[in-house]
């Protein structure tokens, strides 16, 4: 909660300083729920995107995931606080980031694991297609968080996309399919997504809802400009 409170303060500072510009900060809240091998998995994501210019932007990201199994022996939470930096143009985006990850078991007899993580990201924009390659140096991670991802997204419309990725996490490979839809109603400030992942040892199915604290833009513009 202390990370969440800090981000809200950070957002309010930039709101008063930068919000008057055309490229305003984009504040996003995401809530998700799903099943990881029939075990309940919940996540809360907070993202603050700060455009510095037309070509450069920075991002503060807080991800929290909670695996609930009914037993303290294998239930745990994972959180990540990171800062990412991007350079982009009409053809794509390059990004690097650094952060801190914590894996905390519910069993009090087990110690938490903390590690510094690095991240590299690259996207190529080609019409309605986005080609993606990401790498994150996780030591250990929940299987709904990948350490590497390569794949493509296709925008069926400006407000709906489908994506297929090949991912790796904890030395396990998986295919990931997801689709997101952003209704034009309600000033385009919300979207819903479905995620399906099939791995060698772990399968995941989840639903995500996102709310955006900014102006109305299409999903395609939002993801390419801010994410």
């Amino acid at each position: 909660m202390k990370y969440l409170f800090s981000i809200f303060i950070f957002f309010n500072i930039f709101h008063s300083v930068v919000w008057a510009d055309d490229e305003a900060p984009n504040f996003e809240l995401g809530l998700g729920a799903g099943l990881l091998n029939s075990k309940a998995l919940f996540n809360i994501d907070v993202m603050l995107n700060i455009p510095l210019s037309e070509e450069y932007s920075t991002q503060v990201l807080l991800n929290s995931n909670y695996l609930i199994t009914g037993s303290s022996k294998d239930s745990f939470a994972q959180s990540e606080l990171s800062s990412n930096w991007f350079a982009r143009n009409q053809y794509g985006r390059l990004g690097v980031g650094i952060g801190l990850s914590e894996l905390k078991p519910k069993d009090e007899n087990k110690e938490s694991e903390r590690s510094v993580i690095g991240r590299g990201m690259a996207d190529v924009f080609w019409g309605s297609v986005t080609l993606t390659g990401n790498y994150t140096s996780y030591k250990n991670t929940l299987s709904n968080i990948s350490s590497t991802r390569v794949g493509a997204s296709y925008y069926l419309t400006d407000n709906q996309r489908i994506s297929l990725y090949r991912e790796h996490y904890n030395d396990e490979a998986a295919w990931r399919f997801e689709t997101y839809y952003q209704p034009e109603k309600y000033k385009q400030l919300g979207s819903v997504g479905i995620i399906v992942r099939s791995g060698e040892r772990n399968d995941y199915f989840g639903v995500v809802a996102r709310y955006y604290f900014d102006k109305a833009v299409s999903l395609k513009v939002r993801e390419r400009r801010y994410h």
Side-chain angles (χ1 to χ4, degrees):
M1 291 299 295
K2 63 180 180 180
Y3 291 148
L4 184 60
F5 181 69
S6 299
I7 289 180
F8 271 105
I9 294 177
F10 193 42
F11 169 69
N12 287 329
I13 294 174
F14 271 88
H15 182 282
S16 60
V17 175
V18 189
W19 194 262
D21 295 342
D22 291 337
E23 289 294 325
N26 166 274
F27 185 66
E28 175 183 326
L29 173 65
L31 301 175
L35 293 175
L36 173 62
N37 292 340
S38 301
K39 300 174 183 177
L41 183 62
F42 301 94
N43 64 282
I44 302 174
D45 302 329
V46 180
M47 183 184 299
L48 174 59
N49 300 287
I50 307 166
L52 304 175
S53 67
E54 291 186 1
E55 294 83 17
Y56 301 100
S57 65
T58 184
Q59 177 188 88
V60 178
L61 176 65
L62 172 63
N63 288 336
S64 298
N65 295 267
Y66 306 91
L67 181 66
I68 302 174
T69 66
S71 171
S72 62
K73 293 182 179 180
D74 52 1
S75 296
F76 55 89
Q78 181 169 9
S79 61
E80 174 195 339
L81 179 64
S82 58
S83 175
N84 303 317
W85 300 80
F86 300 97
R88 74 185 73 219
N89 58 26
Q90 60 181 321
Y91 303 108
R93 174 186 72 166
L94 292 174
V96 295
I98 188 171
L100 179 65
S101 177
E102 180 182 48
L103 195 66
K104 184 177 182 180
K106 188 177 180 180
D107 188 344
E108 296 181 355
N109 295 321
K110 298 180 180 179
E111 295 185 356
S112 300
E113 298 181 18
R114 297 181 180 87
S115 60
V116 176
I117 59 173
R119 178 179 283 115
M121 298 155 282
D123 295 294
V124 176
F125 308 144
W126 182 33
S128 296
V129 176
T130 298
L131 304 177
T132 297
N134 293 342
Y135 170 76
T136 306
S137 60
Y138 288 113
K139 181 179 179 181
N140 292 300
T141 179
L142 284 166
S143 60
N144 73 320
I145 307 174
S146 63
S147 57
T148 62
R149 176 185 298 175
V150 177
S153 299
Y154 177 73
Y155 290 89
L156 301 170
T157 68
D158 285 347
N159 287 300
Q160 184 177 8
R161 72 165 166 87
I162 57 175
S163 304
L164 181 64
Y165 305 109
R166 184 64 170 172
E167 297 184 329
H168 283 81
Y169 49 88
N170 296 343
D171 297 324
E172 178 180 354
W175 287 101
R176 173 191 179 107
F177 171 81
E178 64 180 40
T179 179
Y180 276 85
Y181 173 65
Q182 177 180 274
E184 294 187 14
K185 295 182 178 180
Y186 315 113
K187 299 183 180 180
Q188 296 179 307
L189 296 183
S191 68
V192 292
I194 297 175
I195 300 171
V196 179
R197 179 184 290 108
S198 178
E200 297 170 350
R201 297 182 299 276
N202 296 283
D203 296 321
Y204 174 76
F205 174 82
V207 178
V208 179
R210 292 175 174 172
Y211 186 81
Y212 311 101
F213 298 81
D214 68 345
K215 58 186 179 182
V217 295
S218 69
L219 181 68
K220 181 179 179 181
V221 170
R222 184 186 305 281
E223 293 185 336
R224 290 184 173 183
R225 180 184 297 174
Y226 296 121
H227 287 196

